[in-house]
Amino acid sequence: MTKGTGAAADARERGQGPTQRRGPGREKAVSTVEGPRGVPVLGNLPQFGKDPLAFFERLRTRGDMVRWRFGPTPSLFLADPRHIGELMTETERTFDQPDLGIAFRTVMGNGVVVARRPDWRRKRSLVQPSVRPKQVRSYASTMAGCARELADRWSDGERIDIKREMAALTQRIAVRTIFGADTDADAGAIGRAMDVAQREIGAEFSGIGALLPDWVPTRGRSRIRRAAAVIDAEVARVVAEQRQGDGQRPDLLSRLLAARDGTGARLSDEEIRDETVTLYIGGHETTSSTLVWAWYLLARSPGVREALAGELDRVLGDREPGFDDYAQLTYAQAVVKETLRLYPTIWLLTGVAKEGARIGGLPLLPGTRVWSSQWATHRDARWFPEPEEFRPERWGPDGGDRIPEYAWFPFGGGPRACLGARFAMVEAVLVLAVLARRFDLDVDPGEIRPVPALTLQPDREVLATVRAR
């Protein structure tokens, strides 16, 4: 994103940097507007399930605070960054994490992403040291090294599926940085299971499965249990190997195994499993998707591709990038940031109002489900002129866009902002720098549509021709 390290840089990567200005001060209580008519029992779930991204965009056109129903649950959609910021910053105090369904829980367990209250605070304190800037620096050489290995295998004129290539690459990086392992079997088994998990979580969340009790069997739930069993077995095997080692390995898993809370207690095996899966998704699934969308956008924007190549030539010359180059690769950061604006890997955030919850001065009934969508807000012309245009320059000091805080929030915000935001940004920038320094990828014509699963994924393979620079 922008130059700097430590807490200031982390704040910028949560959407709180100098290129993002606060909107006007909070106003007095605002009113809500009614959303589209729903149906008995299901409410607006059929409309939401048919196309969640389009549904949230339609809500945005109705107003900044729109009432709708997620099944029988009263819900409120937020479009104004000021209100979204209130939801983010008040999480844990007046908003709870919602139950995202049995499919989500089967894969994610009770990791730091979904844990609540004291349990969340304890887990965050144990996990956070593993992804601090100092630790991310230590993983940077692995990120660049894996990308270099891929670049060495590519050749001019070769035909590739970018989706498959980026998935394999980020899997390899995740396996090496998280598990300290380096076998195709590890990456392959977990990767295939995670692909199944992604699809089934998205299908259940946006379909009738969202309303079914946990005990109701469905084919999707059977598939996700089998996928989770593979993930559990792989993680358990690697954890067992690590426990028998000397504990001096520099990977994320070793740091989790050694972490102790304020009482001196360590994470249990179940907690280790949950946090490992959380880190894997953050380090692989989100970055893989971001890189695919970046290549897709670059192929359709010759001017942006030329500007990126110019920065890489100027900063790197004929050498590969390292962590110290990250701060200098400002245009590459802007490319990633603009990609995350147009195709945010995490496309919605939601909370449940507790007693005393307010948004924009408006009191909310306890139990109200409050929603915000990165997809809808990131494409709002009030905050991003010509919102459909891929314009990395808007993130530069002379970009001209006045972007309010929380108009861009791909990593969330507030106390529950994504712990792996810096890891993900450094990984995406370094991988892009390694590969784009040596190659252009000419993506085949045709629109690629986003599919809102656990993360925002392309709807099909992304075929391209490799062109040596």
Side-chain angles (χ1 to χ4, degrees):
M1 299 183 189
T2 53
K3 294 182 182 181
T5 58
D10 289 343
R12 286 193 287 272
E13 286 171 5
R14 292 194 296 269
Q16 301 169 13
T19 59
Q20 296 200 323
R21 288 90 174 179
R22 291 183 179 272
R26 290 185 182 177
E27 301 173 352
K28 294 181 180 180
V30 295
S31 59
T32 62
V33 298
E34 193 65 44
R37 184 186 299 274
V39 298
V41 182
L42 296 180
N44 300 111
L45 185 59
Q47 299 153 296
F48 171 79
K50 183 179 180 180
D51 189 340
L53 303 179
F55 179 75
F56 282 134
E57 287 200 272
R58 287 197 298 272
L59 293 186
R60 188 195 69 205
T61 64
R62 288 180 176 247
D64 286 333
M65 298 177 68
V66 184
R67 298 187 301 275
W68 64 290
R69 299 190 75 84
F70 184 71
T73 304
S75 296
L76 183 67
F77 171 76
L78 307 177
D80 191 307
R82 293 171 300 176
H83 303 150
I84 293 169
E86 289 184 73
L87 172 63
M88 301 291 178
T89 56
E90 288 294 304
T91 297
E92 290 305 309
R93 197 174 76 85
T94 55
F95 290 93
D96 255 336
Q97 284 291 96
D99 181 356
L100 297 176
I102 188 172
F104 191 88
R105 278 185 275 114
T106 299
V107 175
M108 302 297 292
N110 191 41
V112 68
V113 170
V114 295
R116 299 179 180 179
R117 300 168 193 169
D119 186 37
W120 167 76
R121 286 189 288 273
R122 171 180 173 267
K123 289 178 177 176
R124 185 178 179 89
S125 70
L126 289 166
V127 175
Q128 192 169 30
S130 298
V131 288
R132 284 179 176 155
K134 179 182 177 181
Q135 306 304 339
V136 173
R137 170 185 284 272
S138 71
Y139 309 137
S141 60
T142 298
M143 297 169 181
C146 289
R148 185 173 60 253
E149 291 170 10
L150 175 60
D152 289 343
R153 290 196 297 272
W154 282 355
S155 59
D156 185 42
E158 181 182 357
R159 295 282 292 165
I160 63 170
D161 176 0
I162 299 177
K163 186 177 177 181
R164 181 179 299 173
E165 295 284 317
M166 294 302 103
L169 171 59
T170 56
Q171 281 176 5
R172 190 171 299 111
I173 292 171
V175 167
R176 289 185 186 178
T177 57
I178 296 173
F179 302 118
D182 191 22
T183 68
D184 291 337
D186 292 326
I190 297 178
R192 288 189 295 274
M194 285 305 308
D195 286 344
V196 172
Q198 276 236 59
R199 291 193 300 271
E200 297 303 333
I201 289 172
E204 173 151 313
F205 182 70
S206 59
I208 191 65
L211 303 183
L212 295 176
D214 289 358
W215 53 265
V216 175
T218 68
R219 291 182 178 178
R221 289 177 177 181
S222 295
R223 286 191 288 269
I224 207 161
R225 280 196 297 271
R226 290 194 294 271
V230 172
I231 295 168
D232 292 350
E234 286 295 315
V235 172
R237 179 180 61 78
V238 178
V239 169
E241 291 176 357
Q242 292 267 27
R243 289 196 188 281
Q244 294 172 5
D246 58 14
Q248 300 301 311
R249 297 160 64 113
D251 52 80
L252 282 162
L253 179 55
S254 294
R255 292 188 170 101
L256 287 179
L257 289 170
R260 295 178 181 269
D261 63 20
T263 69
R266 296 187 178 187
L267 291 165
S268 67
D269 283 354
E270 183 178 359
E271 289 173 324
I272 289 289
R273 178 266 178 212
D274 293 346
E275 302 309 336
T276 300
V277 172
T278 298
L279 289 169
Y280 181 85
I281 291 173
H284 157 52
E285 299 289 338
T286 59
T287 308
S288 171
S289 177
T290 299
L291 288 166
V292 173
W293 291 118
W295 289 117
Y296 173 69
L297 291 166
L298 285 167
R300 281 154 177 73
S301 309
V304 174
R305 190 156 73 176
E306 183 179 349
L308 174 62
E311 176 180 82
L312 297 178
D313 291 343
R314 183 176 66 257
V315 174
L316 301 175
D318 59 356
R319 63 180 177 81
E320 302 291 358
F323 182 83
D324 290 335
D325 297 304
Y326 174 78
Q328 306 303 318
L329 296 171
T330 55
Y331 195 78
Q333 292 180 43
V335 167
V336 173
K337 199 168 186 180
E338 181 72 345
T339 299
L340 285 167
R341 182 186 70 81
L342 284 167
Y343 295 99
T345 49
I346 304 301
W347 51 279
L348 70 82
L349 290 172
T350 177
V352 179
K354 298 193 287 189
E355 190 70 40
R358 289 175 174 267
I359 292 290
L362 180 74
L364 303 181
L365 288 175
T368 300
R369 189 86 170 257
V370 184
W371 304 71
S372 61
S373 170
Q374 290 93 329
W375 174 271
T377 301
H378 289 186
R379 290 170 179 257
D380 191 326
R382 292 177 295 175
W383 329 123
F384 300 99
E386 300 177 306
E388 302 299 322
E389 294 294 318
F390 178 54
R391 244 183 31 224
E393 290 77 12
R394 73 173 84 238
W395 297 105
D398 303 319
D401 290 0
R402 294 189 59 83
I403 304 169
E405 186 177 13
Y406 291 108
W408 183 86
F409 55 109
F411 302 114
R416 297 191 73 114
C418 175
L419 289 174
R422 188 166 184 80
F423 185 104
M425 275 297 298
V426 171
E427 180 181 5
V429 168
L430 292 184
V431 167
L432 193 64
V434 169
L435 299 178
R437 189 180 70 81
R438 294 168 59 177
F439 300 102
D440 290 326
L441 299 185
D442 291 341
V443 179
D444 288 2
E447 184 180 4
I448 307 293
R449 296 183 180 276
V451 176
L454 177 60
T455 57
L456 202 65
Q457 294 290 321
D459 65 345
R460 56 183 171 84
E461 58 188 8
V462 183
L463 300 177
T465 302
V466 176
R467 300 295 185 193
R469 284 190 60 221

